[in-house]
């Protein structure tokens, strides 16, 4: 793993990052998920570790990590929520880079679902809890950041999420047309509660991770 960081600007800091798309079980052989690769969250975890932080990466992905990164493997949004909340009290910085599924099947069947007849089927879904929103409501000393992957009205949608989830930083990125999910580079805008939006030029996810973490450290003071 190569990181763009050499100085220890996060020494002594406890960082929790989530990465990847959650997998929502339908039956023993099927699940619902999304196109997230986990690359952005893993880059944040690796850069933070290289910068001296104590890092916990709660992830659904199998991306390479530095030995210093403590990985917690999860699949579903419910598992991710439990793992993040277990590490929240001790954390200084929490970054939700995971693509959490908004919905999960209302029931996870114990046996493989069989098709019946020739008709289609309707799958009942229930909404997953919003992990980031819960962190935003519960935070005391923690700096809490989230991402917003949008195909349209990127800044307006992301600004609404910044306020609705009560977070300290919302990182907005346009997805679709080869951008965002599963790409090696990205282009984002940092939205802060009381600062002007800050565009970061297209760069590798590792470079952006370094810029984002440095900005967070600067704002935390
Ligand atoms: N998020 C979360 N828990 C959820 C859904 C999203 O913690 N159940 C987090 C994501 O990790 C991300 C941020 O919230 O950091 C924004 O996710 P996004 O999908 O863009 O926003 P939603 O609130 O789910 O709104 P929508 O998908 O309708 O745009
Ligand atoms: Ca969503």
């Amino acid at each position: 793993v190569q990181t763009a960081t050499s100085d220890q600007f996060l020494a002594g800091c406890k960082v929790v990052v989530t990465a990847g798309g959650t997998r929502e079980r339908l039956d023993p052989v099927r699940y619902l998920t999304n196109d997230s690769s986990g690359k952005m969250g893993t880059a944040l975890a690796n850069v933070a570790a290289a910068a001296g932080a104590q890092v916990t990466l709660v992830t659904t992905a199998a991306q390479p990590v530095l030995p210093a990164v403590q990985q917690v493997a999860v699949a579903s949004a419910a598992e991710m929520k439990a793992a993040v909340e277990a590490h929240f009290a001790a954390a200084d910085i929490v970054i939700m880079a995971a693509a959490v599924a908004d919905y999960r099947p209302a029931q996870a069947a114990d046996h493989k679902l069989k098709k019946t007849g020739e008709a289609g089927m309707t799958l009942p879904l229930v909404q997953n809890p919003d992990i980031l929103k819960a962190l935003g409501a519960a935070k005391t000393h923690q700096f809490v950041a989230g991402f917003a992957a949008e195909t349209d009205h990127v800044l307006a949608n992301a600004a609404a999420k910044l306020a609705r989830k009560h977070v300290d930083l919302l990182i907005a990125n346009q997805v679709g047309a080869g951008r965002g999910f599963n790409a090696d580079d990205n282009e984002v805008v940092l939205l802060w509660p009381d600062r002007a939006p800050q565009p970061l030029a297209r760069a590798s996810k590792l470079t952006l991770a370094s810029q984002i973490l440095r900005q967070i450290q600067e704002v935390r003071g």
Side-chain angles (χ1 to χ4, degrees), residues 4-188:
T5 308
S6 55
D7 67 304
Q8 301 285 290
F9 66 92
L10 289 173
C13 219
K14 292 199 173 97
V15 176
V16 177
V17 184
T18 64
T22 63
R23 292 189 291 276
E24 309 299 330
R25 193 49 67 191
L26 177 56
D27 73 12
V29 295
R30 304 181 177 102
Y31 54 78
L32 305 181
T33 190
N34 58 62
D35 281 331
S36 171
S37 62
K39 285 177 185 168
M40 190 67 235
T42 306
L44 284 160
N46 281 328
V47 169
Q54 191 178 314
V55 182
T56 303
L57 176 62
V58 178
T59 184
T60 66
Q63 299 280 347
V65 295
L66 292 174
V69 173
Q70 185 205 347
Q71 277 202 91
V72 180
V74 295
S76 66
E79 288 170 14
M80 181 170 282
K81 185 176 200 302
V84 170
E85 288 182 348
H87 291 89
F88 188 59
D92 299 303
I93 299 171
V94 182
I95 307 176
M96 285 291 305
V100 182
D102 292 332
Y103 301 94
R104 67 178 183 275
Q107 296 191 331
D110 290 334
H111 303 280
K112 187 185 167 198
L113 298 172
K114 304 299 288 178
K115 67 184 172 199
T116 43
E118 314 228 314
M121 84 179 279
T122 301
L123 185 60
L125 302 175
V126 294
Q127 199 166 130
N128 274 327
D130 191 321
I131 304 170
L132 183 62
K133 196 172 175 203
L135 299 180
K139 71 185 163 79
T140 51
H141 63 285
Q142 297 89 344
F143 184 100
V144 176
F147 275 75
E150 308 283 352
T151 56
D152 308 282
H153 310 293
V154 180
L155 289 185
N157 284 336
K161 283 174 193 170
L162 175 75
R164 177 156 47 88
K165 303 195 188 213
H166 196 245
V167 294
D168 302 298
L169 168 63
L170 213 289
I171 303 151
N173 69 310
Q174 174 123 34
V175 292
R179 281 192 285 192
F181 282 9
N182 207 9
D184 284 319
D185 54 7
N186 203 356
E187 186 184 329
V188 303

